[in-house]
Amino acid sequence: MLNFLTYLVNGISLGSIYAIIALGYTMVYGIAKMLNFAHGDVIMIGSYLIYTFMVTGGVNPLLSVLLAMVCCTVLGIVTEKVAYKPLRGASSSLAVLITAIGVSYLLQNLALLIFTANPKSFSPVITWEGISLFDGELRIQGVTIVTIITSLIVLVCLQLFINRTRQGQAMIAVSEDKGAAALMGINVNNTISLTFAIGSGLAAVAGALLCSAYPNLTPYTGAMPGIKAFVAAVLGGIGSIPGAMIGGLTLGVIESLSKRYISTQLADAIVFSILIIVLLVRPTGLLGKKIQEKV
Amino acid sequence: MMKMTKQTRRDLITYGIVIVFYIVMQLLDLAGILSFHVKGLLVPLCYYAIAAVALNLVVGILGDLSLGHAGFMCIGAFSSSLFSVTLKDSGFPAGLRFFLALLIGTFFAALFGFLIGIPVLRLNGDYLAIVTLAFGEIIKNILAAVYFGYDEEGLHIAFKSFPLQGEGKMLINGAMGIQGTPTDSTFTIAVVILLLALFIVQNIVRSRTGRAIMSIRDNRIAAEAVGIQITKYKMTAFTISAAIAGTAGVLFSHNTTTLTATSTYFGYNVSILILVYVVLGGIGNIRGSVIATAILYILPEMLRGLSNYRMLIYAIVLIIIMLINWAPAAITFREKYGISAYLARRKENRTPVSDMGSGKGGS
């Protein structure tokens, strides 16, 4: 039973990381209608930045994360302006998808060139030992607790930002109808840039948490969590912020438990099967809105 | 002389390009110019081209984004390898064995394409893309974890390693995959299959079926309203595409002795790689897929001298090509100042026919 609880808590922690990544995905998708395949690589870049600041620069861990967030935000805005914005209004939505793949290759190979393929051992950002419950039978690591709390804070802040501020309302408006939003005096380009900025900033946070939990950093670290987080976003209903959270947590818990109780190798297959089953029952995800097709 | 339609001529040019490429390569080989390294690239080039043609049928002609074609390649590769490995030492004629292997790989990929198509094709747009990606990953994951072998007690299949009783053989050894597939794939066979794939896809596009499929792409609701059975045609296109991708997988597995279901060969990144070929060649342009594959497959190899920088350059080139080709601003610029606009101004008596979607590079 305690064993089960340990894996459940680990799953929630992993799920929280997926959720933070998925929030970035879902916001960008909701507003720009693009699958940002480079999002996972922004996480990787963020992790490398934190690593560099902490290990090479000797900067305080928390400050490193903040610096990395700033850098990733800038990175997100720059890639959006250079690579994605010119393709807005292209005749096929595949164009921007392929460009995102190009950006993903670019970031991976840049990291490969600078940091080489040798895995970097990430020294933990969180040094807190954690707590033990039931006379030490159940140990919860500090990283796990911090991860879960961070994701909750992020979720609440994001919800408040979107529902309570003018910028957040502008985001909703742009994601509903770009043209109408522009007519209402919303600066669509800036709103999209802001979304990319927030998504990329969150990616740096996710990178810090991911690498604290799994301290093995390579140029390909971000790819698989990125895809899984995207699956989480779709599972929860893409475009929906609580959906990303629920999707992420579901995915994390299922992955952790199936690794423990079914098979390590088949865990990914099980995660993806869940997505397929959910989409067959609810084609727009758990919390997604059904869009009526007009003729 | 027989009168050819413009379309037939276009198709014949496509076959011509492939055949000329084949002859040139053979001549270079005879002259001893081709290095061993380059020769090793010819078969992979063909199977990526075949996969790109297959994917273009779904992405370009049917208009649905599939990110799971590597999964169908994986099924084709594993089913055919299983067959070939079993028959390898039985004195079965090698030519016939490979022919049957091709059929088996194609059949199983088609079967899975059909089965996966039933749920997947109910979805639309990006949801469909992510579900095909999920299916591709599931196939890869299961094939990387499964153990399959026979011994005196019969056939065994499990997700854990198991001991064999007496005489027997482990056919699929978990993550170690299938060992000892005969290397039957040759450049000639690969080119013949590429031509066959082109023949099939191009003729589908020109047929009544093809027009029905394209009508679904252009306007699903209108197509349904005029009585086109959406599900039937979507399934047809998806299954044929999966089958052709499976054939590419057979060529892949019979080109190496060790077949493992790793991400390098069958992960979603491979599906994406093929998608890049399709999009750069021109969505819906079958000939473009082949040419783009040839250029993009060879480009990183040509840059090998730049070692670490080559993939970086590849990525930058990819982004720039996409921006030049697809950005509305670049298209307007090209229409005003490009070569074709210049030629059109010179030939003022004729209105130029714009070649939509052929994706001709930044002229």
Side-chain angles (χ1 to χ4, degrees), chain A residues 157-196:
Chain A
C157 290
L158 215 52
Q159 274 288 34
L160 286 177
F161 173 75
I162 288 193
N163 292 325
R164 295 287 165 84
T165 64
R166 286 182 71 81
Q167 278 299 327
Q169 292 293 304
M171 276 181 183
I172 297 180
V174 173
S175 74
E176 295 251 333
D177 191 331
K178 273 200 197 77
L183 289 177
M184 295 294 133
I186 292 168
N187 188 332
V188 174
N189 282 333
N190 282 357
T191 310
I192 293 179
S193 288
L194 180 68
T195 315
F196 269 89

Side-chain angles (χ1 to χ4, degrees), chain B residues 37 41 298-310:
Chain B
H37 176 70
L41 295 177
I298 291 168
L299 181 71
E301 301 297 332
M302 299 286 263
L303 296 171
R304 209 163 259 280
L306 300 163
S307 61
N308 285 334
Y309 291 94
R310 71 189 178 108

Side-chain angles (χ1 to χ4, degrees), chain B residues 29 35 43 65 78 120 162 164 173 178 181 200 211 217 292 328:
Chain B
D29 191 22
S35 68
V43 178
L65 176 58
F78 271 79
V120 164
F162 53 86
L164 294 170
N173 200 355
I178 301 180
T181 311
I200 292 169
R211 287 190 296 275
R217 172 193 66 187

